[in-house]
Amino acid sequence: MNALKALAQAEPTPYWLEDPARPEPLPSLVETTTCDLAVIGGGYTGLWTALMAKERDPSLDVVLVEADRVGGAASGRNGGFCAASLTHGLWNGMERWPDQMGELERLGKENLQGIADAVTRYGIDCEFEFTGELHVATEEWQLADLAEEAEHGIRLGHDLRLLDRDAVRAEVNSPTYLGGLWDRDGAAMLHPAKLAWGLRDACASLGVRIYERTPVTAISESRDGVWLRTSYGGVRARRVALGTGVFPPLLKRLKHYLVPVYDYALMTEPLSDAQLASLGWRNRQGIGDSANQFHYYRLTADNRILWGGYDAIYHFRNGLRHELESRPETFARLSSHFFRTYPQLEGLAFTHAWGGVIDTCSRFCAFYGTAFGGRLAYATGYTGLGVGATRFGADVILDNLGVGLAPGEVTPRLKLDMVRSKPLPFPPEPFRFGAIQLTRWSIARADANQGKRNLWLRTLDKLGLGFDS
Ligand SMILES: Cc1cc2nc3c(=O)[nH]c(=O)nc-3n(C[C@H](O)[C@H](O)[C@H](O)COP(=O)(O)OP(=O)(O)OC[C@H]3O[C@@H](n4cnc5c(N)ncnc54)[C@H](O)[C@@H]3O)c2cc1C
């Protein structure tokens, strides 16, 4: 079948955001207000920060301001893989912080459980399913990597099962699968936008004042706090949490550390019982394949398949525009890969095709910091794995601001090397664009060449800048 035909009816909007459960936007801020803690950004980072601030100290007056709609950016349009990993996978963490990996993985598990508990506590209907994740090998060279990952992961106490070709196909039936590694408790699947909207409701229920369609246009230090200028007014806050993801940072120093990278996804129509039976997939795991350019895919509550990843597109000078959220060339590629993986689904159509921006930094997992003498704290740079890790980022922000802590108290989180260190900054343009394009080209070549990394990738690896999914 022509993979393009399957895209004929696809709406160019994020499937998740079209849901009838999407709440009406809350009013903009049209005055000047004061508060104890102002949170900028209504994605997961900002929402968790506001929510947990009230949990830590119910007496705090908390204001959250969002430029557009809560969950309208990455947080409402992602794959919904809620992973325990705080380091963008085991390898990335092992290479950077081998001595603290045990603690980082333990904190990651605790964080994932914290999300599950909050979903239950606040009655957030976000289709949360504790399914785990299946990493599949589609080329022989990937099998050894999975075996090595299993060895390290089991040593760190993870519930991992290495599957041979027959066993992985018995889980999910694709002629492309040669083996797999099932991480049984390392991830949950959820409806990303419903998580954001549910967190919005939970924040409001604890008394957080939320203003949507309220971009902060400037921030400055004042005598007794921080002043935020907004379109129709402003906020005087004692402390500020910055959760603005990849958007042009209000704090200028952050711009050297972040690049916007576009990631794309397709959603199918719901599968019939017979189509689902042809796959198996009884354990409903999220799936990721193991090349450097990888796909991620999963079932939804009504048995559609979300299919995303592979291409990661950077535009010159940090290009960030609404029209870049649609990329027909990538949609066509993703569709053809989908039917190569599941030929038995021929005839299935995609209902939605969309893209979103990832806040990429050179170490591939979030970094944290403060400004204005400790009155402002931020967490950003999740590089495509922030559904779970943003809650940990929010905890770091609150630790850095001292919310709910004794004066001078330093939490164990703040002592982690991961939290104390920063990624290497990106070079300025045009070197930035050139280096990213060369890296993409090299990664594609490595995948076509049994995973062998060329001189450029090996150099990046040595500098701690190499990405190996
Ligand atoms: C297509 C796609 C698929 C993904 N899939 C996964 C996945 O399956 N699993 C996973 O773990 N991660 C995934 N991610 C990454 C994940 O979505 C992000 O890491 C996470 O949502 C980041 O949350 P955030 O709150 O930091 O940023 P955002 O969600 O981007 O929120 C930042 C908010 O700040 C607001 N803002 C910006 N500037 C201002 C300002 N000046 N004033 C006021 N508000 C402002 C923005 O409008 C925005 O709402 C994916 C991302 C994309 C794009």
Side-chain angles (χ1 to χ4, degrees):
M1 169 189 160
N2 182 349
L4 291 182
K5 223 165 126 189
L7 289 165
Q9 302 286 341
E11 293 282 338
T13 52
Y15 165 77
W16 309 113
L17 291 174
E18 273 210 331
D19 200 282
R22 187 174 197 181
E24 287 299 313
L26 292 162
S28 308
L29 179 67
V30 290
E31 59 187 3
T32 295
T33 189
T34 57
C35 64
D36 298 316
L37 173 66
V39 178
I40 311 178
Y44 300 139
T45 299
L47 291 162
W48 281 116
T49 303
L51 185 70
M52 296 197 299
K54 289 295 276 185
E55 289 178 342
R56 286 185 185 206
D57 180 353
S59 73
L60 275 191
D61 182 18
V62 181
V63 163
L64 185 150
V65 280
E66 160 56 43
D68 185 19
R69 306 265 303 263
V70 161
S75 296
R77 60 179 66 215
N78 60 68
F81 282 58
C82 186
S85 178
L86 303 174
T87 58
H88 209 302
L90 197 60
W91 287 133
N92 193 42
M94 296 274 288
E95 267 162 32
R96 294 174 199 282
W97 305 289
D99 300 340
Q100 295 181 357
M101 217 30 209
E103 192 178 357
L104 287 168
E105 293 288 274
R106 184 186 61 71
L107 288 168
K109 284 267 166 67
E110 209 173 278
N111 182 59
L112 179 56
Q113 189 57 50
I115 294 172
D117 293 345
V119 162
T120 308
R121 191 162 62 251
Y122 294 104
I124 298 176
D125 172 22
C126 64
E127 299 162 16
F128 191 94
E129 291 183 73
F130 234 129
T131 59
E133 188 174 350
L134 183 61
H135 306 273
V136 295
T138 54
E139 302 278 348
E140 290 288 339
W141 61 268
Q142 297 161 5
L143 292 168
D145 284 354
L146 289 185
E148 206 181 328
E149 186 169 348
E151 204 180 302
H152 287 299
I154 288 167
R155 208 176 304 137
L156 289 170
H158 297 317
D159 183 1
L160 299 178
R161 287 198 193 158
L162 203 54
L163 307 178
D164 65 14
R165 182 185 137 122
D166 289 344
V168 73
R169 292 185 190 188
E171 280 299 324
V172 188
N173 185 21
S174 165
T176 63
Y177 295 170
L178 303 178
L181 179 63
W182 183 9
D183 178 357
R184 287 160 55 89
D185 59 359
M189 298 300 121
L190 51 76
H191 186 307
K194 285 189 176 173
L195 174 63
W197 302 331
L199 289 172
R200 187 188 90 153
D201 289 348
C203 284
S205 76
L206 297 190
V208 175
R209 291 184 281 144
I210 301 172
Y211 300 96
E212 293 184 73
R213 295 173 174 164
T214 303
V216 174
T217 52
I219 52 177
S220 53
E221 209 173 355
S222 62
R223 199 166 44 81
D224 47 359
V226 183
W227 164 243
L228 315 182
R229 192 167 69 216
T230 64
S231 308
Y232 300 125
V235 185
R236 274 182 224 293
R238 280 204 300 122
R239 285 171 284 190
V240 171
L242 194 60
T244 51
V246 75
F247 294 91
L250 292 159
L251 203 57
K252 294 285 170 275
R253 73 181 74 157
L254 292 182
K255 75 174 191 228
H256 306 292
Y257 294 113
L258 289 171
V259 295
V261 170
Y262 279 81
D263 184 39
Y264 297 91
L266 305 176
M267 186 68 90
T268 71
E269 60 190 327
L271 272 62
S272 67
D273 291 347
Q275 285 168 327
L276 191 57
S278 76
L279 299 176
W281 215 339
R282 278 173 296 275
N283 291 306
R284 303 178 60 80
Q285 310 94 328
I287 302 180
D289 46 36
S290 307
N292 293 293
Q293 279 186 288
F294 62 94
H295 306 91
Y296 56 87
Y297 42 106
R298 52 156 300 184
L299 291 167
T300 61
D302 62 349
N303 293 329
R304 298 163 184 268
I305 298 176
L306 175 141
W307 179 268
Y310 198 79
D311 278 348
I313 308 295
Y314 171 75
H315 297 274
F316 190 57
R317 287 216 180 108
N318 285 10
L320 199 63
R321 293 186 298 283
H322 181 57
E323 54 283 16
L324 300 175
E325 290 166 11
S326 183
R327 192 166 195 266
E329 185 189 339
T330 294
F331 297 149
R333 187 172 298 123
L334 284 172
S335 177
S336 87
H337 294 176
F338 176 85
F339 289 107
R340 193 187 309 152
T341 305
Y342 297 136
Q344 64 271 51
L345 296 183
E346 183 170 328
L348 193 71
F350 295 105
T351 58
H352 295 77
W354 72 95
V357 205
I358 279 173
D359 50 340
T360 300
C361 72
S362 66
R363 72 183 203 184
F364 315 111
C365 60
F367 61 96
Y368 318 86
T370 59
F372 298 157
R375 285 175 169 156
L376 178 149
Y378 61 84
T380 186
Y382 297 92
T383 319
L385 205 73
V387 175
T390 40
R391 181 181 174 278
F392 178 87
D395 255 330
V396 174
I397 288 176
L398 293 172
D399 288 353
N400 267 325
L401 294 175
V403 174
L405 303 180
E409 184 178 343
V410 179
T411 63
R413 260 188 299 266
L414 294 183
K415 294 181 185 153
L416 292 165
D417 291 342
M418 180 184 80
V419 170
R420 293 158 57 93
S421 61
K422 293 276 185 304
L424 283 176
F426 288 99
E429 297 287 19
F431 305 106
R432 177 178 294 197
F433 185 76
I436 293 173
Q437 294 309 97
L438 178 58
T439 307
R440 283 194 64 215
W441 177 81
S442 302
I443 278 175
R445 271 189 44 135
D447 282 339
N449 194 17
Q450 283 89 47
K452 289 199 188 86
R453 297 167 85 75
N454 65 13
L455 183 62
W456 174 248
L457 291 181
R458 290 201 306 275
T459 308
L460 291 182
D461 291 343
K462 276 203 189 102
L463 295 171
L465 299 170
F467 189 54
D468 180 343
S469 68

